[in-house]
Amino acid sequence: MNSFDSKAPAGDLAQKWSKHKAAIKVVSPANKRKLDIIVVGTGLGGASAAASLAELGYNVKVFCIQDSPRRAHSIAAQGGINAAKNYQNDNDSVYRLFYDTIKGGDYRAREANVYRLAEVSNLIIDQCVAQGVPFAREYGGLLDNRSFGGAQVSRTFYARGQTGQQLLLGAYAALNRNIGLGRVKSYPRHEMLDVVLIDGEARGIIARNLVTGEIERHGAHAVVIASGGYGNVFFLSTNAMNSNGSAAWQCYKKGAFFANPCYTQIHPTCIPKHGDQQSKLTLMSESLRNDGRIWVPKKLEDVKKLRAKQIKPSDIAEEDRDYYLERRYPAFGNLVPRDVASRAAKERCDAGFGVNETGLAVFLDFKSAIERLGKDVIKARYGNLFQMYEKITDTNPYEQPMQIFPAVHYTMGGIWVDYNLMTTIPGLYAIGEANFSDHGANRLGASALMQGLADGYFVLPYTIGDYLSRHIQDKKVDVSNPAFDEAEKAVIDKINKIFSIKGKQTVDDLHKKLGNIMWEYVGMARDEAGLKKAIEEIKELRAEFWKDVYVPGKEGDFNPEIEKAVRLADFLEIGELMARDALNRNESCGGHFRVEYQTEEGEAKRDDENYNYVAAWQYNGSDAEPTLHKEMLNFEYIKVAQRNYKD
């Protein structure tokens, strides 16, 4: 295929998806029963896709690292899911959701994909209500909405602070129904270690049974990657410990282009790091910014007293508080997009106003909301989040403000896909956070759940048929094919090589070193010298890993350490590509902030003349530089402008 034929249909924006569905080919019900599809991952994207494909009649195999599909990391999402229902009658629309998403992503996303996402968003809510998802409701029984960053309308549907869990339970129930009917075969505690290509097309995977250590071969007529993002390259992130980029990375090494790897979302509302032995960070939902106000003291003497625990935050008078987001961005206030809020917090902390002992925290305060609405209302909206915060910090957020600081949360980059969600490898699809497609350089809050369910329920089930319609005469994939032999041997050799090193450093020791490099040089602020240094240091750390890592135990057993080691080997390569992509992009946009390219007011400064493209990288070997391909972005329906959240 033409690497950059996005297959986005021509014509009016609002008609593109309808016309495309009418034009692509379909597979008859009788022929669907002949076709096998592998889905890797059971988060909202993977679970919804597997359930939908099985309902259509395909034979589906679904793989997840967790001991149950319902433990996928989507379950950790808190705040909500966007849809353009306009239930609040506040002038929302499909176009407004489309516009907010493009603008929030700093004009670095494909128009056709984003409009389709906004268009199908309303169907998602209907689907989930029908499944029994317990969305919050108003007094009269109608579904409630709340606000999220980057929008001036209330379009976020939610189930208290556990929206991801409730949505995943809905998709999991649909998936379980099809497992029970025999349409889906589930493989929990399995990890994909390679994708198998036959005649250049995806025809299966090599997976490791994480309980027995056995290496398995699985064939299919198409493979769907729904394995999430690669944020754990930073070691500390809000992601679950098992979250990793390995499945997507193996696709890249087999020829699938990897797009925009440098676009990393730093979430502004996380509990600050508390020590060197910490293994992950805890997210506090963006929904808290609906009623919580973010501030630091205006006076440095108050900051010093706070750090010395001579005063409490509540002792600081209202006139001595700097509500800096409200000051800098009056139109959006505390609900600016995540990248903007994160950089603003960093700026205040860099200026010396950080409120905890490390100087890396700001306050999220509910004092005004409690006075205005009453404690019971706040408890009904955010009670489980407040409870979680108190358990972790031993501070009652009803009485004292929360302390928050930005942390790695989501990766907008991922496998490049066309309008059909197919990668540059025929028969290989990527959905949800595993692909790059719908968020540009920054994801608006409550849009991850929207994209995962849109891809799984309402896009992939249509588009995959266009490819499979040309393969209905194909026989079942023979896993004794030499391509499976070659892929399995490569996986086993890699594992054996790691075991044979018998060095002195643990996987976690080396991963923490990588995380420190990434956060220091490829984190919230980047510059040319730092990125060049990061590339060199990561190369040195890769050599150190292959020379000095120690993995106890042996292959063929339950062994979490070899799991982590194999993933770290991939993270070391992913981190280098992220730094290389950031070095190449001489502009600031969204989650990519190059300090050389900013306005006088410290805002991101894009270069639309030279960087208005998707950067898609092609693998050329472990020691060779990758090739950069550019998918130019053409904006026909939106006027590209400097992002403005001030008025």
Side-chain angles (χ1 to χ4, degrees):
M1 64 179 280
N2 181 338
S3 298
F4 279 124
D5 177 7
S6 72
K7 294 189 167 59
D12 183 69
L13 185 66
Q15 301 300 318
K16 284 181 186 291
W17 179 227
S18 296
K19 287 185 176 180
H20 189 68
K21 287 189 292 183
I24 58 178
K25 295 181 179 180
V26 298
V27 180
S28 73
N31 285 329
K32 286 187 177 81
R33 292 193 292 270
K34 303 174 184 176
L35 296 167
D36 303 327
I37 301 173
I38 285 173
V39 179
V40 179
T42 59
L44 287 180
S48 60
S52 299
L53 293 167
E55 289 284 355
L56 288 171
Y58 294 108
N59 305 306
V60 180
K61 289 183 176 182
V62 68
F63 295 80
C64 70
I65 290 175
Q66 298 82 4
D67 53 5
S68 166
R70 64 155 291 187
R71 290 176 66 90
H73 189 54
S74 296
I75 208 165
Q78 298 168 344
I81 177 171
N82 288 330
K85 285 285 195 182
N86 194 34
Y87 282 172
Q88 302 296 315
N89 199 28
D90 55 359
N91 198 21
D92 199 9
S93 65
V94 168
Y95 183 86
R96 192 176 294 278
L97 175 53
F98 157 69
Y99 174 80
D100 288 344
T101 305
I102 289 280
K103 177 184 175 182
D106 220 352
Y107 305 93
R108 289 293 179 263
R110 191 189 291 153
E111 273 190 333
N113 285 65
V114 177
Y115 191 89
R116 177 177 64 188
L117 176 65
E119 184 180 353
V120 305
S121 67
N122 293 333
L123 300 174
I124 297 170
I125 304 304
D126 297 339
Q127 169 89 359
C128 294
V129 169
Q131 290 175 334
V133 172
F135 287 120
R137 293 179 181 267
E138 295 178 332
Y139 178 76
L142 299 177
L143 297 187
D144 196 11
N145 289 123
R146 57 189 177 200
S147 301
F148 257 64
Q152 291 178 304
V153 296
S154 292
R155 63 162 67 102
T156 303
F157 295 78
Y158 65 98
R160 296 191 73 184
Q162 50 183 248
T163 313
Q165 177 176 341
Q166 298 303 328
L167 291 171
L168 187 59
L169 288 173
Y172 174 62
L175 178 60
N176 259 1
R177 162 182 147 77
N178 286 284
I179 292 172
L181 291 171
R183 298 169 180 167
V184 175
K185 186 161 180 54
S186 178
Y187 292 87
R189 301 294 287 137
H190 280 67
E191 182 166 17
M192 171 186 153
L193 296 181
D194 205 356
V195 61
V196 179
L197 309 187
I198 298 177
D199 297 327
E201 302 190 60
R203 287 294 178 265
I205 66 170
I206 303 297
R208 182 174 183 267
N209 183 320
L210 299 180
V211 177
T212 66
E214 183 181 357
I215 304 298
E216 301 176 2
R217 306 177 179 194
H218 297 274
H221 298 93
V223 177
V224 179
I225 304 299
S227 54
Y230 46 92
N232 274 348
V233 69
F234 289 85
F235 187 73
L236 283 179
S237 82
T238 67
N239 290 191
M241 296 297 291
N242 262 343
S243 299
N244 64 87
S246 287
W249 196 245
Q250 303 321 309
C251 298
Y252 165 70
K253 295 177 83 168
K254 283 293 182 73
F257 291 179
F258 208 91
N260 296 336
C262 77
Y263 289 159
T264 306
Q265 179 161 89
I266 312 292
H267 197 295
T269 319
C270 299
I271 298 177
K273 177 182 175 182
H274 62 71
D276 293 335
Q277 301 306 309
Q278 194 167 347
S279 57
K280 75 177 297 294
L281 297 168
T282 303
L283 172 70
M284 298 308 296
S285 170
E286 181 176 314
S287 64
L288 295 170
R289 291 199 273 146
N290 269 273
D291 291 305
R293 302 176 71 194
I294 296 174
W295 64 278
V296 293
K298 289 181 179 178
K299 302 175 182 176
L300 283 172
E301 54 262 38
D302 285 340
V303 173
K304 293 175 183 176
K305 290 177 182 177
L306 283 170
R307 293 181 185 176
K309 300 193 183 316
Q310 295 172 355
I311 60 173
K312 294 179 179 179
S314 57
D315 295 331
I316 297 176
E318 191 71 20
E319 61 269 20
D320 292 329
R321 301 180 178 195
D322 177 14
Y323 295 97
Y324 57 87
L325 290 178
E326 298 171 37
R327 168 173 56 82
R328 290 181 61 175
Y329 309 102
F332 284 75
N334 295 294
L335 287 172
V336 292
R338 291 174 176 177
D339 61 316
V340 177
S342 294
R343 283 195 297 275
K346 181 180 186 297
E347 185 275 330
R348 286 291 78 197
C349 291
D350 288 349
F353 291 89
V355 297
N356 67 353
E357 296 86 345
T358 65
L360 300 176
V362 299
F363 288 131
L364 176 62
D365 197 339
F366 287 84
K367 172 176 173 286
S368 299
I370 291 172
E371 290 174 352
R372 186 178 78 253
L373 301 169
K375 181 177 176 180
D376 289 345
V377 172
I378 298 302
K379 189 173 183 179
R381 291 178 180 176
Y382 314 111
N384 63 315
L385 297 170
F386 278 44
Q387 182 183 44
M388 180 172 71
Y389 182 86
E390 186 168 6
K391 281 186 175 181
I392 293 171
T393 66
D394 197 28
T395 299
N396 184 342
Y398 295 103
E399 298 173 359
Q400 298 293 337
M402 295 180 179
Q403 290 188 3
I404 58 168
F405 192 70
V408 172
H409 179 58
Y410 186 94
T411 49
M412 283 76 65
I415 307 173
W416 184 90
V417 293
D418 63 18
Y419 192 69
N420 289 330
L421 305 182
M422 191 192 286
T423 71
T424 49
I425 296 174
L428 180 66
Y429 292 78
I431 63 175
E433 192 180 357
N435 75 28
F436 87 102
S437 69
D438 291 358
H439 306 298
N442 171 63
R443 177 177 66 77
L444 292 184
S447 287
L449 307 187
M450 177 173 63
Q451 187 209 347
L453 291 181
D455 288 353
Y457 281 139
F458 298 112
V459 180
L460 182 75
Y462 289 99
T463 60
I464 200 169
D466 189 49
Y467 171 78
L468 291 173
S469 66
R470 299 187 292 276
H471 296 276
I472 57 176
Q473 299 297 325
D474 292 2
K475 296 178 180 178
K476 295 281 185 184
V477 174
D478 181 4
V479 296
S480 64
N481 185 288
F484 281 88
D485 296 338
E486 183 181 341
E488 182 179 307
K489 183 179 184 301
V491 164
I492 293 172
D493 287 349
K494 181 178 181 180
I495 291 172
N496 288 340
K497 183 178 179 182
I498 292 173
F499 267 121
S500 70
I501 296 168
K502 301 298 182 188
K504 294 184 175 62
Q505 298 188 69
T506 69
V507 176
D508 282 350
D509 287 341
L510 291 163
H511 197 169
K512 285 178 183 178
K513 289 182 180 180
L514 174 63
N516 288 335
I517 295 169
M518 295 299 296
W519 182 251
E520 182 69 23
Y521 303 117
V522 201
M524 266 197 287
R526 305 156 176 185
D527 61 37
E528 181 179 2
L531 290 167
K532 288 180 176 177
K533 187 173 183 180
I535 291 170
E536 292 309 310
E537 289 192 4
I538 293 170
K539 285 180 178 178
E540 292 171 6
L541 189 61
R542 269 175 64 193
E544 196 176 330
F545 170 89
W546 289 106
K547 178 182 177 182
D548 198 36
V549 71
Y550 173 69
V551 178
K554 60 182 186 298
E555 173 55 11
D557 288 338
F558 173 73
N559 190 337
E561 288 302 307
I562 190 62
E563 296 172 36
K564 293 194 295 184
V566 171
R567 294 170 199 160
L568 178 56
D570 294 330
F571 278 142
L572 286 161
E573 296 177 356
I574 294 171
E576 184 179 335
L577 186 65
M578 291 171 69
R580 192 178 297 279
D581 187 42
L583 181 62
N584 168 75
R585 193 169 281 278
N586 294 319
E587 64 166 355
S588 293
C589 57
H592 167 63
F593 191 75
R594 286 280 296 269
V595 296
E596 307 100 318
Y597 307 102
Q598 57 182 304
T599 66
E600 291 181 0
E601 297 175 318
E603 306 294 347
K605 189 175 182 180
R606 294 194 322 269
D607 180 353
D608 294 327
E609 183 176 347
N610 295 304
Y611 294 96
N612 187 28
Y613 60 75
V614 174
W617 297 87
Q618 180 181 11
Y619 183 70
N620 291 320
S622 59
D623 296 320
E625 290 193 8
T627 301
L628 173 63
H629 300 269
K630 301 175 182 179
E631 178 196 352
M632 304 309 297
L633 294 169
N634 300 309
F635 293 94
E636 301 176 60
Y637 297 91
I638 278 186
K639 181 182 178 183
V640 177
Q642 183 70 30
R643 280 195 305 173
N644 176 19
Y645 294 101
K646 298 178 186 296
D647 51 46

